[in-house]
PDB file of all heavy atoms in Angstrom:
ATOM      1  N   PHE G   1     124.172  59.978 196.303  1.00  0.00           N
ATOM      2  CA  PHE G   1     124.834  59.088 195.316  1.00  0.00           C
ATOM      3  C   PHE G   1     125.081  59.760 194.077  1.00  0.00           C
ATOM      4  O   PHE G   1     124.540  60.814 193.729  1.00  0.00           O
ATOM      5  CB  PHE G   1     123.980  57.925 195.104  1.00  0.00           C
ATOM      6  CG  PHE G   1     122.539  58.125 194.593  1.00  0.00           C
ATOM      7  CD1 PHE G   1     122.400  58.004 193.141  1.00  0.00           C
ATOM      8  CD2 PHE G   1     121.539  58.592 195.328  1.00  0.00           C
ATOM      9  CE1 PHE G   1     121.188  58.325 192.668  1.00  0.00           C
ATOM     10  CE2 PHE G   1     120.319  58.896 194.737  1.00  0.00           C
ATOM     11  CZ  PHE G   1     120.066  58.774 193.412  1.00  0.00           C
ATOM     12  N   GLN G   2     125.958  59.131 193.217  1.00  0.00           N
ATOM     13  CA  GLN G   2     126.172  59.451 191.792  1.00  0.00           C
ATOM     14  C   GLN G   2     125.827  58.240 190.982  1.00  0.00           C
ATOM     15  O   GLN G   2     125.810  57.093 191.524  1.00  0.00           O
ATOM     16  CB  GLN G   2     127.723  59.757 191.558  1.00  0.00           C
ATOM     17  CG  GLN G   2     128.161  61.053 192.169  1.00  0.00           C
ATOM     18  CD  GLN G   2     129.555  61.404 192.016  1.00  0.00           C
ATOM     19  OE1 GLN G   2     130.446  60.588 192.561  1.00  0.00           O
ATOM     20  NE2 GLN G   2     129.864  62.431 191.317  1.00  0.00           N
ATOM     21  N   ARG G   3     125.381  58.427 189.923  1.00  0.00           N
ATOM     22  CA  ARG G   3     125.108  57.347 188.869  1.00  0.00           C
ATOM     23  C   ARG G   3     125.580  57.583 187.529  1.00  0.00           C
ATOM     24  O   ARG G   3     125.828  58.807 187.130  1.00  0.00           O
ATOM     25  CB  ARG G   3     123.521  57.135 188.916  1.00  0.00           C
ATOM     26  CG  ARG G   3     122.818  58.304 188.462  1.00  0.00           C
ATOM     27  CD  ARG G   3     121.243  58.089 188.672  1.00  0.00           C
ATOM     28  NE  ARG G   3     120.446  59.275 188.212  1.00  0.00           N
ATOM     29  CZ  ARG G   3     119.133  59.395 188.607  1.00  0.00           C
ATOM     30  NH1 ARG G   3     118.595  58.506 189.362  1.00  0.00           N
ATOM     31  NH2 ARG G   3     118.478  60.410 188.253  1.00  0.00           N
ATOM     32  N   PRO G   4     125.869  56.541 186.769  1.00  0.00           N
ATOM     33  CA  PRO G   4     126.360  56.725 185.411  1.00  0.00           C
ATOM     34  C   PRO G   4     125.333  57.489 184.579  1.00  0.00           C
ATOM     35  O   PRO G   4     124.092  57.188 184.430  1.00  0.00           O
ATOM     36  CB  PRO G   4     126.533  55.253 184.937  1.00  0.00           C
ATOM     37  CG  PRO G   4     126.580  54.338 186.042  1.00  0.00           C
ATOM     38  CD  PRO G   4     125.642  55.093 187.114  1.00  0.00           C
ATOM     39  N   GLU G   5     125.778  58.575 183.815  1.00  0.00           N
ATOM     40  CA  GLU G   5     124.847  59.229 182.967  1.00  0.00           C
ATOM     41  C   GLU G   5     125.662  59.598 181.695  1.00  0.00           C
ATOM     42  O   GLU G   5     126.470  60.551 181.631  1.00  0.00           O
ATOM     43  CB  GLU G   5     124.547  60.585 183.634  1.00  0.00           C
ATOM     44  CG  GLU G   5     123.697  60.376 184.807  1.00  0.00           C
ATOM     45  CD  GLU G   5     123.181  61.743 185.435  1.00  0.00           C
ATOM     46  OE1 GLU G   5     122.171  62.180 185.111  1.00  0.00           O
ATOM     47  OE2 GLU G   5     123.959  62.204 186.409  1.00  0.00           O
ATOM     48  N   PRO G   6     125.630  58.788 180.674  1.00  0.00           N
ATOM     49  CA  PRO G   6     126.430  58.851 179.473  1.00  0.00           C
ATOM     50  C   PRO G   6     126.203  60.334 178.834  1.00  0.00           C
ATOM     51  O   PRO G   6     125.098  60.898 178.921  1.00  0.00           O
ATOM     52  CB  PRO G   6     125.769  57.857 178.541  1.00  0.00           C
ATOM     53  CG  PRO G   6     125.229  56.818 179.485  1.00  0.00           C
ATOM     54  CD  PRO G   6     124.784  57.531 180.709  1.00  0.00           C
ATOM     55  N   GLY G   7     127.237  60.751 178.366  1.00  0.00           N
ATOM     56  CA  GLY G   7     127.138  62.119 177.712  1.00  0.00           C
ATOM     57  C   GLY G   7     127.598  63.319 178.538  1.00  0.00           C
ATOM     58  O   GLY G   7     127.785  64.350 178.028  1.00  0.00           O
ATOM     59  N   LEU G   8     127.804  63.068 179.827  1.00  0.00           N
ATOM     60  CA  LEU G   8     128.213  64.158 180.780  1.00  0.00           C
ATOM     61  C   LEU G   8     129.648  64.063 181.025  1.00  0.00           C
ATOM     62  O   LEU G   8     130.106  62.912 181.202  1.00  0.00           O
ATOM     63  CB  LEU G   8     127.431  64.055 182.077  1.00  0.00           C
ATOM     64  CG  LEU G   8     125.814  64.317 181.955  1.00  0.00           C
ATOM     65  CD1 LEU G   8     125.207  64.248 183.418  1.00  0.00           C
ATOM     66  CD2 LEU G   8     125.541  65.679 181.415  1.00  0.00           C
ATOM     67  N   LEU G   9     130.274  65.174 181.136  1.00  0.00           N
ATOM     68  CA  LEU G   9     131.751  65.087 181.430  1.00  0.00           C
ATOM     69  C   LEU G   9     131.926  64.696 183.060  1.00  0.00           C
ATOM     70  O   LEU G   9     133.008  63.963 183.238  1.00  0.00           O
ATOM     71  CB  LEU G   9     132.304  66.582 181.277  1.00  0.00           C
ATOM     72  CG  LEU G   9     132.397  67.120 179.907  1.00  0.00           C
ATOM     73  CD1 LEU G   9     132.924  68.545 179.917  1.00  0.00           C
ATOM     74  CD2 LEU G   9     133.321  66.150 179.032  1.00  0.00           C
ATOM     75  N   HIS G  10     131.068  65.112 183.906  1.00  0.00           N
ATOM     76  CA  HIS G  10     131.179  64.767 185.214  1.00  0.00           C
ATOM     77  C   HIS G  10     129.946  64.228 185.813  1.00  0.00           C
ATOM     78  O   HIS G  10     128.837  64.770 185.430  1.00  0.00           O
ATOM     79  CB  HIS G  10     131.644  66.133 186.037  1.00  0.00           C
ATOM     80  CG  HIS G  10     132.740  66.946 185.412  1.00  0.00           C
ATOM     81  ND1 HIS G  10     134.042  66.346 185.449  1.00  0.00           N
ATOM     82  CD2 HIS G  10     132.806  68.066 184.741  1.00  0.00           C
ATOM     83  CE1 HIS G  10     134.759  67.309 184.843  1.00  0.00           C
ATOM     84  NE2 HIS G  10     134.005  68.338 184.449  1.00  0.00           N
ATOM     85  N   SER G  11     130.093  63.271 186.660  1.00  0.00           N
ATOM     86  CA  SER G  11     128.939  62.656 187.315  1.00  0.00           C
ATOM     87  C   SER G  11     128.174  63.668 188.216  1.00  0.00           C
ATOM     88  O   SER G  11     128.860  64.347 189.015  1.00  0.00           O
ATOM     89  CB  SER G  11     129.292  61.436 188.083  1.00  0.00           C
ATOM     90  OG  SER G  11     129.826  60.382 187.247  1.00  0.00           O
ATOM     91  N   ARG G  12     126.850  63.734 188.232  1.00  0.00           N
ATOM     92  CA  ARG G  12     126.129  64.575 189.008  1.00  0.00           C
ATOM     93  C   ARG G  12     125.826  63.952 190.442  1.00  0.00           C
ATOM     94  O   ARG G  12     125.860  62.715 190.462  1.00  0.00           O
ATOM     95  CB  ARG G  12     124.910  64.983 188.398  1.00  0.00           C
ATOM     96  CG  ARG G  12     124.994  65.758 187.068  1.00  0.00           C
ATOM     97  CD  ARG G  12     123.783  66.311 186.375  1.00  0.00           C
ATOM     98  NE  ARG G  12     122.929  65.214 185.892  1.00  0.00           N
ATOM     99  CZ  ARG G  12     121.738  65.367 185.304  1.00  0.00           C
ATOM    100  NH1 ARG G  12     121.330  66.677 185.156  1.00  0.00           N
ATOM    101  NH2 ARG G  12     121.082  64.346 184.922  1.00  0.00           N
ATOM    102  N   TRP G  13     125.560  64.797 191.445  1.00  0.00           N
ATOM    103  CA  TRP G  13     125.109  64.227 192.710  1.00  0.00           C
ATOM    104  C   TRP G  13     123.605  64.280 192.872  1.00  0.00           C
ATOM    105  O   TRP G  13     123.040  65.355 192.617  1.00  0.00           O
ATOM    106  CB  TRP G  13     125.859  65.097 193.856  1.00  0.00           C
ATOM    107  CG  TRP G  13     127.286  64.692 194.034  1.00  0.00           C
ATOM    108  CD1 TRP G  13     128.408  65.353 193.621  1.00  0.00           C
ATOM    109  CD2 TRP G  13     127.636  63.530 194.882  1.00  0.00           C
ATOM    110  NE1 TRP G  13     129.508  64.669 194.051  1.00  0.00           N
ATOM    111  CE2 TRP G  13     129.154  63.547 194.747  1.00  0.00           C
ATOM    112  CE3 TRP G  13     126.983  62.592 195.536  1.00  0.00           C
ATOM    113  CZ2 TRP G  13     129.833  62.512 195.401  1.00  0.00           C
ATOM    114  CZ3 TRP G  13     127.772  61.592 196.180  1.00  0.00           C
ATOM    115  CH2 TRP G  13     129.093  61.562 196.082  1.00  0.00           C
ATOM    116  N   TRP G  14     123.096  63.262 193.345  1.00  0.00           N
ATOM    117  CA  TRP G  14     121.748  63.091 193.530  1.00  0.00           C
ATOM    118  C   TRP G  14     121.338  62.750 195.053  1.00  0.00           C
ATOM    119  O   TRP G  14     122.360  62.248 195.799  1.00  0.00           O
ATOM    120  CB  TRP G  14     121.162  62.032 192.655  1.00  0.00           C
ATOM    121  CG  TRP G  14     121.223  62.305 191.187  1.00  0.00           C
ATOM    122  CD1 TRP G  14     122.385  62.097 190.406  1.00  0.00           C
ATOM    123  CD2 TRP G  14     120.224  62.889 190.353  1.00  0.00           C
ATOM    124  NE1 TRP G  14     122.192  62.472 189.216  1.00  0.00           N
ATOM    125  CE2 TRP G  14     120.935  62.985 189.127  1.00  0.00           C
ATOM    126  CE3 TRP G  14     118.993  63.333 190.514  1.00  0.00           C
ATOM    127  CZ2 TRP G  14     120.258  63.511 187.973  1.00  0.00           C
ATOM    128  CZ3 TRP G  14     118.235  63.919 189.463  1.00  0.00           C
ATOM    129  CH2 TRP G  14     118.815  63.941 188.272  1.00  0.00           C
ATOM    130  N   ARG G  15     120.176  62.865 195.472  1.00  0.00           N
ATOM    131  CA  ARG G  15     119.706  62.213 196.778  1.00  0.00           C
ATOM    132  C   ARG G  15     118.321  61.726 196.780  1.00  0.00           C
ATOM    133  O   ARG G  15     117.584  62.114 195.780  1.00  0.00           O
ATOM    134  CB  ARG G  15     119.995  63.294 197.785  1.00  0.00           C
ATOM    135  CG  ARG G  15     118.821  64.331 197.961  1.00  0.00           C
ATOM    136  CD  ARG G  15     119.013  65.298 199.130  1.00  0.00           C
ATOM    137  NE  ARG G  15     117.854  66.172 199.243  1.00  0.00           N
ATOM    138  CZ  ARG G  15     117.853  67.153 200.132  1.00  0.00           C
ATOM    139  NH1 ARG G  15     118.858  67.201 201.023  1.00  0.00           N
ATOM    140  NH2 ARG G  15     116.713  67.875 200.280  1.00  0.00           N
ATOM    141  N   ARG G  16     118.024  60.862 197.615  1.00  0.00           N
ATOM    142  CA  ARG G  16     116.657  60.354 197.758  1.00  0.00           C
ATOM    143  C   ARG G  16     116.413  60.099 199.172  1.00  0.00           C
ATOM    144  O   ARG G  16     117.338  59.765 199.924  1.00  0.00           O
ATOM    145  CB  ARG G  16     116.368  59.125 196.906  1.00  0.00           C
ATOM    146  CG  ARG G  16     117.425  58.037 197.264  1.00  0.00           C
ATOM    147  CD  ARG G  16     117.128  56.777 196.360  1.00  0.00           C
ATOM    148  NE  ARG G  16     118.220  55.794 196.544  1.00  0.00           N
ATOM    149  CZ  ARG G  16     119.056  55.349 195.643  1.00  0.00           C
ATOM    150  NH1 ARG G  16     118.996  55.821 194.356  1.00  0.00           N
ATOM    151  NH2 ARG G  16     120.071  54.468 195.863  1.00  0.00           N
ATOM    152  N   PRO G  17     115.234  60.259 199.708  1.00  0.00           N
ATOM    153  CA  PRO G  17     114.851  59.944 201.046  1.00  0.00           C
ATOM    154  C   PRO G  17     115.061  58.421 201.301  1.00  0.00           C
ATOM    155  O   PRO G  17     114.982  57.648 200.358  1.00  0.00           O
ATOM    156  CB  PRO G  17     113.273  60.311 201.198  1.00  0.00           C
ATOM    157  CG  PRO G  17     113.057  61.269 200.106  1.00  0.00           C
ATOM    158  CD  PRO G  17     113.962  60.821 198.856  1.00  0.00           C
ATOM    159  N   LEU G  18     115.473  58.027 202.454  1.00  0.00           N
ATOM    160  CA  LEU G  18     115.661  56.706 202.822  1.00  0.00           C
ATOM    161  C   LEU G  18     114.356  55.731 202.507  1.00  0.00           C
ATOM    162  O   LEU G  18     113.244  56.148 202.788  1.00  0.00           O
ATOM    163  CB  LEU G  18     115.988  56.542 204.231  1.00  0.00           C
ATOM    164  CG  LEU G  18     117.249  57.011 204.774  1.00  0.00           C
ATOM    165  CD1 LEU G  18     117.431  56.868 206.240  1.00  0.00           C
ATOM    166  CD2 LEU G  18     118.416  56.542 203.914  1.00  0.00           C
ATOM    167  N   GLY G  19     114.593  54.779 201.708  1.00  0.00           N
ATOM    168  CA  GLY G  19     113.578  53.787 201.287  1.00  0.00           C
ATOM    169  C   GLY G  19     112.764  54.295 200.202  1.00  0.00           C
ATOM    170  O   GLY G  19     111.811  53.619 199.725  1.00  0.00           O
ATOM    171  N   ALA G  20     113.132  55.384 199.513  1.00  0.00           N
ATOM    172  CA  ALA G  20     112.359  55.960 198.402  1.00  0.00           C
ATOM    173  C   ALA G  20     113.087  55.698 197.025  1.00  0.00           C
ATOM    174  O   ALA G  20     114.337  55.364 197.124  1.00  0.00           O
ATOM    175  CB  ALA G  20     112.102  57.365 198.465  1.00  0.00           C
ATOM    176  N   ASP G  21     112.397  55.732 195.992  1.00  0.00           N
ATOM    177  CA  ASP G  21     112.965  55.567 194.664  1.00  0.00           C
ATOM    178  C   ASP G  21     113.277  56.846 193.916  1.00  0.00           C
ATOM    179  O   ASP G  21     114.190  56.933 193.156  1.00  0.00           O
ATOM    180  CB  ASP G  21     112.054  54.665 193.719  1.00  0.00           C
ATOM    181  CG  ASP G  21     111.996  53.226 194.335  1.00  0.00           C
ATOM    182  OD1 ASP G  21     112.958  52.694 194.897  1.00  0.00           O
ATOM    183  OD2 ASP G  21     110.826  52.588 194.206  1.00  0.00           O
ATOM    184  N   SER G  22     112.410  57.812 194.146  1.00  0.00           N
ATOM    185  CA  SER G  22     112.523  59.125 193.394  1.00  0.00           C
ATOM    186  C   SER G  22     113.727  59.853 193.942  1.00  0.00           C
ATOM    187  O   SER G  22     113.945  59.930 195.167  1.00  0.00           O
ATOM    188  CB  SER G  22     111.277  59.870 193.534  1.00  0.00           C
ATOM    189  OG  SER G  22     111.013  60.168 194.908  1.00  0.00           O
ATOM    190  N   ALA G  23     114.441  60.496 193.132  1.00  0.00           N
ATOM    191  CA  ALA G  23     115.700  61.122 193.484  1.00  0.00           C
ATOM    192  C   ALA G  23     115.597  62.701 192.924  1.00  0.00           C
ATOM    193  O   ALA G  23     114.867  62.917 191.894  1.00  0.00           O
ATOM    194  CB  ALA G  23     116.957  60.565 192.792  1.00  0.00           C
ATOM    195  N   GLU G  24     116.293  63.516 193.628  1.00  0.00           N
ATOM    196  CA  GLU G  24     116.371  65.025 193.243  1.00  0.00           C
ATOM    197  C   GLU G  24     117.822  65.329 193.050  1.00  0.00           C
ATOM    198  O   GLU G  24     118.778  64.805 193.726  1.00  0.00           O
ATOM    199  CB  GLU G  24     115.695  65.923 194.307  1.00  0.00           C
ATOM    200  CG  GLU G  24     116.394  65.866 195.625  1.00  0.00           C
ATOM    201  CD  GLU G  24     115.720  66.926 196.567  1.00  0.00           C
ATOM    202  OE1 GLU G  24     115.366  67.987 196.021  1.00  0.00           O
ATOM    203  OE2 GLU G  24     115.750  66.640 197.785  1.00  0.00           O
ATOM    204  N   LEU G  25     118.168  66.259 192.170  1.00  0.00           N
ATOM    205  CA  LEU G  25     119.437  66.632 191.842  1.00  0.00           C
ATOM    206  C   LEU G  25     119.932  67.543 192.990  1.00  0.00           C
ATOM    207  O   LEU G  25     119.242  68.552 193.484  1.00  0.00           O
ATOM    208  CB  LEU G  25     119.405  67.451 190.442  1.00  0.00           C
ATOM    209  CG  LEU G  25     120.757  67.919 190.063  1.00  0.00           C
ATOM    210  CD1 LEU G  25     121.790  66.755 189.691  1.00  0.00           C
ATOM    211  CD2 LEU G  25     120.653  68.889 188.815  1.00  0.00           C
ATOM    212  N   VAL G  26     121.212  67.378 193.447  1.00  0.00           N
ATOM    213  CA  VAL G  26     121.749  68.159 194.383  1.00  0.00           C
ATOM    214  C   VAL G  26     122.798  69.100 193.748  1.00  0.00           C
ATOM    215  O   VAL G  26     122.602  70.326 193.928  1.00  0.00           O
ATOM    216  CB  VAL G  26     122.555  67.255 195.420  1.00  0.00           C
ATOM    217  CG1 VAL G  26     123.119  68.130 196.571  1.00  0.00           C
ATOM    218  CG2 VAL G  26     121.514  66.317 196.071  1.00  0.00           C
ATOM    219  N   VAL G  27     123.779  68.558 193.006  1.00  0.00           N
ATOM    220  CA  VAL G  27     124.935  69.388 192.431  1.00  0.00           C
ATOM    221  C   VAL G  27     125.154  68.846 191.117  1.00  0.00           C
ATOM    222  O   VAL G  27     125.516  67.649 191.000  1.00  0.00           O
ATOM    223  CB  VAL G  27     126.256  69.425 193.431  1.00  0.00           C
ATOM    224  CG1 VAL G  27     127.264  70.156 192.632  1.00  0.00           C
ATOM    225  CG2 VAL G  27     125.896  70.118 194.694  1.00  0.00           C
ATOM    226  N   ASP G  28     125.264  69.696 190.202  1.00  0.00           N
ATOM    227  CA  ASP G  28     125.664  69.373 188.767  1.00  0.00           C
ATOM    228  C   ASP G  28     126.931  70.118 188.560  1.00  0.00           C
ATOM    229  O   ASP G  28     126.997  71.198 188.123  1.00  0.00           O
ATOM    230  CB  ASP G  28     124.602  69.813 187.834  1.00  0.00           C
ATOM    231  CG  ASP G  28     124.982  69.394 186.353  1.00  0.00           C
ATOM    232  OD1 ASP G  28     126.040  68.756 186.152  1.00  0.00           O
ATOM    233  OD2 ASP G  28     124.312  69.776 185.442  1.00  0.00           O
ATOM    234  N   PRO G  29     128.095  69.412 188.584  1.00  0.00           N
ATOM    235  CA  PRO G  29     129.407  69.982 188.358  1.00  0.00           C
ATOM    236  C   PRO G  29     129.540  70.559 186.929  1.00  0.00           C
ATOM    237  O   PRO G  29     130.230  71.469 186.634  1.00  0.00           O
ATOM    238  CB  PRO G  29     130.389  68.922 188.579  1.00  0.00           C
ATOM    239  CG  PRO G  29     129.647  67.900 189.375  1.00  0.00           C
ATOM    240  CD  PRO G  29     128.268  67.973 188.971  1.00  0.00           C
ATOM    241  N   ASN G  30     128.743  69.958 186.005  1.00  0.00           N
ATOM    242  CA  ASN G  30     128.820  70.426 184.606  1.00  0.00           C
ATOM    243  C   ASN G  30     128.228  71.838 184.402  1.00  0.00           C
ATOM    244  O   ASN G  30     128.616  72.528 183.463  1.00  0.00           O
ATOM    245  CB  ASN G  30     128.023  69.462 183.693  1.00  0.00           C
ATOM    246  CG  ASN G  30     128.477  67.994 183.741  1.00  0.00           C
ATOM    247  OD1 ASN G  30     129.434  67.601 183.220  1.00  0.00           O
ATOM    248  ND2 ASN G  30     127.696  67.187 184.693  1.00  0.00           N
ATOM    249  N   ALA G  31     127.465  72.342 185.421  1.00  0.00           N
ATOM    250  CA  ALA G  31     127.098  73.638 185.267  1.00  0.00           C
ATOM    251  C   ALA G  31     127.961  74.722 185.828  1.00  0.00           C
ATOM    252  O   ALA G  31     127.742  75.945 185.743  1.00  0.00           O
ATOM    253  CB  ALA G  31     125.704  73.733 186.065  1.00  0.00           C
ATOM    254  N   LEU G  32     129.034  74.415 186.401  1.00  0.00           N
ATOM    255  CA  LEU G  32     130.088  75.280 186.967  1.00  0.00           C
ATOM    256  C   LEU G  32     130.837  75.882 185.897  1.00  0.00           C
ATOM    257  O   LEU G  32     131.452  75.174 184.977  1.00  0.00           O
ATOM    258  CB  LEU G  32     130.879  74.605 188.073  1.00  0.00           C
ATOM    259  CG  LEU G  32     130.199  74.002 189.215  1.00  0.00           C
ATOM    260  CD1 LEU G  32     131.273  73.126 190.109  1.00  0.00           C
ATOM    261  CD2 LEU G  32     129.635  75.122 190.082  1.00  0.00           C
ATOM    262  N   GLU G  33     131.084  77.069 185.890  1.00  0.00           N
ATOM    263  CA  GLU G  33     132.013  77.749 184.854  1.00  0.00           C
ATOM    264  C   GLU G  33     133.355  77.278 184.976  1.00  0.00           C
ATOM    265  O   GLU G  33     133.916  77.265 186.102  1.00  0.00           O
ATOM    266  CB  GLU G  33     131.901  79.351 185.196  1.00  0.00           C
ATOM    267  CG  GLU G  33     132.694  80.101 184.053  1.00  0.00           C
ATOM    268  CD  GLU G  33     132.558  81.628 184.224  1.00  0.00           C
ATOM    269  OE1 GLU G  33     131.913  81.997 185.132  1.00  0.00           O
ATOM    270  OE2 GLU G  33     133.299  82.329 183.483  1.00  0.00           O
ATOM    271  N   GLY G  34     133.857  76.794 183.947  1.00  0.00           N
ATOM    272  CA  GLY G  34     135.271  76.297 183.829  1.00  0.00           C
ATOM    273  C   GLY G  34     135.359  74.789 183.921  1.00  0.00           C
ATOM    274  O   GLY G  34     136.411  74.191 183.700  1.00  0.00           O
ATOM    275  N   ALA G  35     134.240  74.066 184.409  1.00  0.00           N
ATOM    276  CA  ALA G  35     134.255  72.655 184.656  1.00  0.00           C
ATOM    277  C   ALA G  35     134.472  71.854 183.210  1.00  0.00           C
ATOM    278  O   ALA G  35     134.860  70.703 183.417  1.00  0.00           O
ATOM    279  CB  ALA G  35     133.138  72.285 185.397  1.00  0.00           C
ATOM    280  N   GLU G  36     134.171  72.579 182.319  1.00  0.00           N
ATOM    281  CA  GLU G  36     134.421  71.869 180.943  1.00  0.00           C
ATOM    282  C   GLU G  36     135.834  71.684 180.599  1.00  0.00           C
ATOM    283  O   GLU G  36     136.217  70.820 179.887  1.00  0.00           O
ATOM    284  CB  GLU G  36     133.742  72.536 179.748  1.00  0.00           C
ATOM    285  CG  GLU G  36     134.410  73.865 179.434  1.00  0.00           C
ATOM    286  CD  GLU G  36     134.135  74.977 180.369  1.00  0.00           C
ATOM    287  OE1 GLU G  36     133.319  74.861 181.384  1.00  0.00           O
ATOM    288  OE2 GLU G  36     134.487  76.249 180.054  1.00  0.00           O
ATOM    289  N   VAL G  37     136.729  72.407 181.225  1.00  0.00           N
ATOM    290  CA  VAL G  37     138.225  72.218 181.198  1.00  0.00           C
ATOM    291  C   VAL G  37     138.820  71.495 182.254  1.00  0.00           C
ATOM    292  O   VAL G  37     139.628  70.480 181.989  1.00  0.00           O
ATOM    293  CB  VAL G  37     138.909  73.680 181.047  1.00  0.00           C
ATOM    294  CG1 VAL G  37     140.376  73.624 180.882  1.00  0.00           C
ATOM    295  CG2 VAL G  37     138.192  74.507 179.903  1.00  0.00           C
ATOM    296  N   PHE G  38     138.377  71.796 183.500  1.00  0.00           N
ATOM    297  CA  PHE G  38     138.937  70.987 184.662  1.00  0.00           C
ATOM    298  C   PHE G  38     137.954  71.116 185.778  1.00  0.00           C
ATOM    299  O   PHE G  38     137.245  72.203 186.041  1.00  0.00           O
ATOM    300  CB  PHE G  38     140.353  71.712 185.061  1.00  0.00           C
ATOM    301  CG  PHE G  38     140.832  70.928 186.291  1.00  0.00           C
ATOM    302  CD1 PHE G  38     141.762  69.940 186.078  1.00  0.00           C
ATOM    303  CD2 PHE G  38     140.656  71.414 187.608  1.00  0.00           C
ATOM    304  CE1 PHE G  38     142.346  69.158 187.068  1.00  0.00           C
ATOM    305  CE2 PHE G  38     141.295  70.841 188.609  1.00  0.00           C
ATOM    306  CZ  PHE G  38     142.094  69.595 188.433  1.00  0.00           C
ATOM    307  N   TYR G  39     137.830  70.045 186.500  1.00  0.00           N
ATOM    308  CA  TYR G  39     137.065  70.000 187.700  1.00  0.00           C
ATOM    309  C   TYR G  39     137.415  69.070 188.666  1.00  0.00           C
ATOM    310  O   TYR G  39     137.809  67.824 188.191  1.00  0.00           O
ATOM    311  CB  TYR G  39     135.591  69.744 187.348  1.00  0.00           C
ATOM    312  CG  TYR G  39     134.743  69.352 188.446  1.00  0.00           C
ATOM    313  CD1 TYR G  39     134.163  70.253 189.383  1.00  0.00           C
ATOM    314  CD2 TYR G  39     134.419  67.984 188.786  1.00  0.00           C
ATOM    315  CE1 TYR G  39     133.495  69.938 190.439  1.00  0.00           C
ATOM    316  CE2 TYR G  39     133.661  67.666 189.890  1.00  0.00           C
ATOM    317  CZ  TYR G  39     133.188  68.645 190.796  1.00  0.00           C
ATOM    318  OH  TYR G  39     132.466  68.230 191.740  1.00  0.00           O
ATOM    319  N   ARG G  40     137.556  69.371 189.922  1.00  0.00           N
ATOM    320  CA  ARG G  40     137.857  68.469 191.073  1.00  0.00           C
ATOM    321  C   ARG G  40     137.074  68.889 192.309  1.00  0.00           C
ATOM    322  O   ARG G  40     137.016  70.054 192.677  1.00  0.00           O
ATOM    323  CB  ARG G  40     139.411  68.374 191.265  1.00  0.00           C
ATOM    324  CG  ARG G  40     139.728  67.242 192.254  1.00  0.00           C
ATOM    325  CD  ARG G  40     141.017  66.785 192.059  1.00  0.00           C
ATOM    326  NE  ARG G  40     141.022  65.932 190.834  1.00  0.00           N
ATOM    327  CZ  ARG G  40     142.157  65.890 189.928  1.00  0.00           C
ATOM    328  NH1 ARG G  40     143.155  66.594 190.221  1.00  0.00           N
ATOM    329  NH2 ARG G  40     142.026  65.181 188.916  1.00  0.00           N
ATOM    330  N   LEU G  41     136.432  67.928 192.857  1.00  0.00           N
ATOM    331  CA  LEU G  41     135.637  68.076 194.088  1.00  0.00           C
ATOM    332  C   LEU G  41     136.464  68.271 195.235  1.00  0.00           C
ATOM    333  O   LEU G  41     137.521  67.523 195.433  1.00  0.00           O
ATOM    334  CB  LEU G  41     134.640  66.966 194.247  1.00  0.00           C
ATOM    335  CG  LEU G  41     133.663  67.031 195.527  1.00  0.00           C
ATOM    336  CD1 LEU G  41     132.723  68.083 195.280  1.00  0.00           C
ATOM    337  CD2 LEU G  41     132.965  65.662 195.655  1.00  0.00           C
TER     338      LEU G  41
END
């Protein structure tokens, strides 16, 4: 899933085990070189 995160240019991808609340980061597009100018998945 993605979730609203104010202050970021692009929403990050997260995941969690089924039925769990805790989530781990999967992909942060903001960390990709060049994504501050343009980014598309």
Side-chain angles (χ1 to χ4, degrees):
F1 61 95
Q2 293 176 294
R3 59 190 180 193
E5 296 181 89
L8 295 179
L9 293 177
H10 311 290
S11 296
R12 298 185 291 181
W13 279 99
W14 299 81
R15 77 175 187 184
R16 56 181 170 243
L18 296 178
D21 294 327
S22 60
E24 64 176 324
L25 182 65
V26 180
V27 174
D28 180 6
N30 304 281
L32 298 173
E33 183 178 358
E36 70 279 4
V37 177
F38 180 87
Y39 164 78
R40 186 150 289 143
L41 182 69

